[in-house]
Amino acid sequence: MASMALCSSSPTFSFFPNSSTLPNTNKLSSFSLSCAPNSPPAAEDDAPKKKRLSKQSSWESKDSQGQDYLYRLGKEADNMNIAVGARSGVIDDLFAGNFLGRDSDIVFDYRQKVTKSFEYLQGDYYIAPLFMDKVVCHITKNYLAHILKTKVPLILGIWGGKGQGKSFQTELIFQAMGVEPVIMSAGELESERAGEPGKLIRERYRAASQVVQNQGKMSCLMINDIDAGLGRFGNTQMTVNNQIVVGTLMNLADNPTRVSVGQDWRESDISNRVPIIVTGNDFSKIYAPLIRDGRMEKFYWQPNLEDIVNIVHRMYEKDGISKDEVINIVKTFPNQALDFYGALRSRTYDRSISKWVEDIGGVENLGNTLLKRKKLEKLPVFTPPKQTIEALLESGYSLIKEQKLIMETKLSKEYMKNMDD
């Protein structure tokens, strides 16, 4: 069996106290890379003494416990810093600089791509005209806010029932408009450290602003399912981070061009105004001053029958399902969210997948086939099922049965709880 090679690389950084000892700046700093096959560890007496790269290198210095700097840095659970080479407050200001009020590596933030592109959206999709009109109008108004003689809300709140395609329709509009957004989720609105989510929102907002300034592209900040992170449900506890996030969004809505991430204020530090779009299911659970009309424009999204038929038809079009058959499916299962009709198509694959598992030797060989095959070995051919109106209706009745079971269980639990009270 061929032995695996271990590769290690380590950059060398040196600081020279005297200008006379500075290296020639015309030469590029070296980067060493060594590869060696696995071998049994040598005895301590026989092991060669490790040669230091430099007597002045801080990367090889030991702490009070005899561990090197990098080992201790990686061991710290709370450490989130990956730019340790030139941090303000860690090394002398002579090297970090204090004019910008930030790290000396001023392009570090731009190298981290936080924006989202939509190359994966391949195909022909339907965008509801009413939905597109609202989103396009909100984005346009915010980019023209400096010439409009009216108050323009910074935030657009899109809310409605679950699974109605709010986020997906918005992404389709971004793709059509050429917008490169910064997208956050409700899971980023809480942290074990106070103030982190609020700072993250400000950093993401400034990142979207820098897309406009540096790339000449339209951008925006989008937060999905904001009510899941900020909403008050039952006996949930309001945390400090909830309050800071609400206060941050309110401050952005009131001062969209003055955004601080901890640096000293300068008169020239003006951010480009970029719109904020949030989605959710129930905005009544959110702090009321945040969703008032001056700060947030609300848009309730409930697709009508025409929108549902067109969206579902584009979903099934490549399977050979006609529009009349789509109308039949939608009328057979009325009052369902859009994700229900997507689940119909997914459910029809179950039988074909079960047959594929049997063809490869059963569940006993499933792990070896999926994970332990050779590098150039291909998976056995999977034949997708042919979509028919009968198979889709069968899947629909199965999902309706599961919905009824869930509802009956929920009502039973509520009844038992009322009986106990």
Side-chain angles (χ1 to χ4, degrees):
M1 181 176 181
S3 59
M4 296 180 61
L6 297 177
C7 297
S8 62
S9 60
S10 59
T12 302
F13 300 92
S14 300
F15 300 108
F16 299 87
N18 298 322
S19 60
S20 61
T21 60
L22 288 175
N24 186 0
T25 56
N26 294 329
K27 295 182 180 180
L28 296 175
S29 58
S30 61
F31 186 88
S32 61
L33 177 67
S34 61
C35 298
N38 283 336
S39 59
E44 292 185 4
D45 297 338
D46 300 335
K49 189 174 182 180
K50 184 179 179 181
K51 183 179 179 181
R52 290 188 56 136
L53 297 176
S54 172
K55 293 182 179 180
Q56 295 175 314
S57 175
S58 61
W59 294 88
E60 296 179 305
S61 61
K62 303 294 183 181
D63 61 9
S64 59
Q65 300 178 358
Q67 298 172 348
D68 65 11
Y69 173 68
L70 289 180
Y71 177 82
R72 177 172 56 82
L73 184 69
K75 191 175 180 181
E76 292 176 358
D78 291 337
N79 178 65
M80 305 291 287
N81 173 26
I82 60 175
V84 298
R87 296 287 291 185
S88 177
V90 176
I91 66 172
D92 193 270
D93 287 341
L94 173 64
F95 303 102
N98 55 13
F99 172 74
L100 294 176
R102 56 191 303 171
D103 301 337
S104 63
D105 187 4
I106 60 175
V107 299
F108 176 75
D109 292 334
Y110 306 126
R111 288 200 298 261
Q112 300 186 80
K113 186 173 177 61
V114 297
T115 58
K116 185 174 182 180
S117 57
F118 303 100
E119 288 84 0
Y120 66 93
L121 290 178
Q122 302 293 331
D124 190 15
Y125 297 95
Y126 175 84
I127 303 176
L130 180 62
F131 198 104
M132 186 168 187
D133 179 69
K134 181 61 68 173
V135 174
V136 171
C137 183
H138 177 76
I139 293 176
T140 305
K141 282 196 304 182
N142 273 274
Y143 277 98
L144 297 178
H146 62 287
I147 62 175
L148 297 178
K149 297 180 180 180
T150 184
K151 173 71 173 178
V152 178
L154 182 72
I155 306 173
L156 171 64
I158 304 173
W159 66 293
K162 60 180 179 62
Q164 298 289 9
K166 297 181 290 294
S167 298
F168 187 65
Q169 288 275 297
T170 306
E171 291 183 357
L172 291 176
I173 295 173
F174 289 159
Q175 184 190 42
M177 295 181 64
V179 176
E180 192 166 315
V182 177
I183 297 183
M184 297 181 62
S185 69
E188 297 177 278
L189 302 182
E190 188 54 81
S191 172
E192 60 184 4
R193 286 173 291 182
E196 283 292 326
K199 181 181 178 182
L200 179 63
I201 290 176
R202 295 193 297 274
E203 289 176 343
R204 296 284 175 85
Y205 184 88
R206 286 178 66 97
S209 174
Q210 289 162 359
V211 170
V212 178
Q213 178 178 346
N214 300 333
Q215 301 181 29
K217 296 181 180 179
M218 288 192 297
S219 184
C220 70
L221 175 63
M222 182 174 181
I223 306 177
N224 287 315
D225 305 310
I226 190 173
D227 56 331
L230 297 182
R232 301 295 301 274
F233 299 93
N235 296 322
T236 56
Q237 181 180 5
M238 173 67 76
T239 66
V240 173
N241 278 325
N242 293 148
Q243 297 172 340
I244 293 176
V245 167
V246 169
T248 298
L249 291 173
M250 291 170 60
N251 181 260
L252 287 175
D254 296 337
N255 303 281
T257 60
R258 301 286 286 177
V259 184
S260 169
V261 289
Q263 82 280 10
D264 295 333
W265 287 111
R266 300 196 311 275
E267 291 299 326
S268 60
D269 188 11
I270 303 296
S271 301
N272 290 283
R273 177 183 179 128
V274 292
I276 299 176
I277 299 176
V278 300
T279 64
N281 300 121
D282 188 359
F283 282 179
S284 67
K285 305 294 184 181
I286 301 178
Y287 185 60
L290 174 61
I291 64 174
R292 70 173 176 83
D293 293 336
R295 295 188 174 113
M296 180 186 295
E297 182 178 2
K298 277 78 65 182
F299 171 53
Y300 180 75
W301 170 237
Q302 177 64 49
N304 55 34
L305 179 60
E306 181 182 0
D307 293 329
I308 293 176
V309 169
N310 287 322
I311 293 173
V312 176
H313 179 237
R314 295 291 177 86
M315 190 188 307
Y316 291 157
E317 194 172 20
K318 58 184 177 182
D319 296 320
I321 303 297
S322 65
K323 192 168 185 177
D324 292 336
E325 291 174 328
V326 170
I327 294 174
N328 184 18
I329 294 173
V330 173
K331 290 186 176 180
T332 303
F333 307 108
N335 303 322
Q336 296 291 339
L338 284 170
D339 62 351
F340 174 85
Y341 305 103
L344 296 185
R345 188 172 182 273
S346 178
R347 182 64 67 94
T348 59
Y349 275 69
D350 291 354
R351 290 183 181 178
S352 297
I353 292 176
S354 298
K355 184 179 182 302
W356 183 81
V357 172
E358 292 179 359
D359 293 341
I360 64 174
V363 295
E364 296 84 1
N365 298 324
L366 184 59
N368 292 333
T369 303
L370 292 176
L371 305 177
K372 295 184 179 181
R373 66 185 187 277
K374 296 180 180 179
K375 184 176 181 179
L376 299 178
E377 184 180 357
K378 296 182 179 180
L379 286 171
V381 178
F382 172 75
T383 304
K386 180 175 176 58
Q387 300 292 346
T388 62
I389 183 68
E390 293 78 12
L392 292 171
L393 291 175
E394 181 181 356
S395 299
Y397 289 123
S398 176
L399 291 174
I400 291 294
K401 184 178 179 180
E402 292 180 0
Q403 289 180 352
K404 290 182 178 179
L405 288 174
I406 293 173
M407 186 58 65
E408 290 174 359
T409 303
K410 182 179 179 180
L411 293 175
S412 177
K413 288 183 178 180
E414 292 179 354
Y415 177 77
M416 295 301 295
K417 182 180 180 180
N418 293 333
M419 290 293 293
D420 294 338
D421 294 341

